[in-house]
Structure formats: structure tokens, C-alpha cells
Amino acid sequence: MTNQTTVIRPVRVFKMGSVRLPDPAPDMSPIEAVRLYAPSYPHLANAELDEPQLIGEELHYAIKLEPVKTKG
């Protein structure tokens, strides 16, 4: 009888408010993967990520957006 260990890599999910963005490139770093969404979501070009949270078999990254600056 052999013991086999299976390593399960959690699925990364990027959260922008209530919007869930699937991981477009699991082999890239999390921030590089998020930046791939910049053509569709231009504000993600400068976004940062919070520390990930493991929820079930998913690794959730909350996207921190810069506040919108307006002239006053």
C-alpha cells in the first residue's frame, strides 16, 4: 500500500465589490493577472490587492481601488 499526497492548488478569485473576476492567468502573479483586466476595467491598471482569504477551495483577493479624485 502506498501513501499518495495530492496537493490542491486553490482557485484564485478577484473581487471588485460584488463582482467576481475569475483568474485569467493562474501562472502569473495575482497583481499581474488582475492587470490583464485593464482593457475592460481601466481603473484596474493602478489597483492593488488586499491579502488573500481562503474561502472553501477559493483564494479570494479583494481589489483595492484608488479613490476618484475630482477638482474642487
Side-chain angles (χ1 to χ4, degrees):
M1 179 176 220
T2 61
N3 273 340
Q4 291 186 359
T5 302
T6 303
V7 176
I8 298 173
R9 183 175 179 179
V11 174
R12 298 187 303 190
V13 175
F14 302 102
K15 304 257 326 194
M16 184 173 55
S18 63
V19 176
R20 290 172 50 102
L21 299 172
D23 190 350
D27 293 334
M28 295 177 89
S29 74
I31 196 65
E32 290 173 330
V34 165
R35 298 248 161 85
L36 292 176
Y37 281 107
S40 298
Y41 301 98
H43 54 283
L44 293 183
N46 298 315
E48 298 201 11
L49 298 174
D50 275 337
E51 291 296 317
Q53 292 183 321
L54 185 62
I55 300 175
E57 293 183 6
E58 295 180 334
L59 198 55
H60 288 230
Y61 288 87
I63 299 172
K64 298 190 297 187
L65 300 174
E66 292 292 322
V68 176
K69 297 178 184 176
T70 59
K71 291 185 177 183

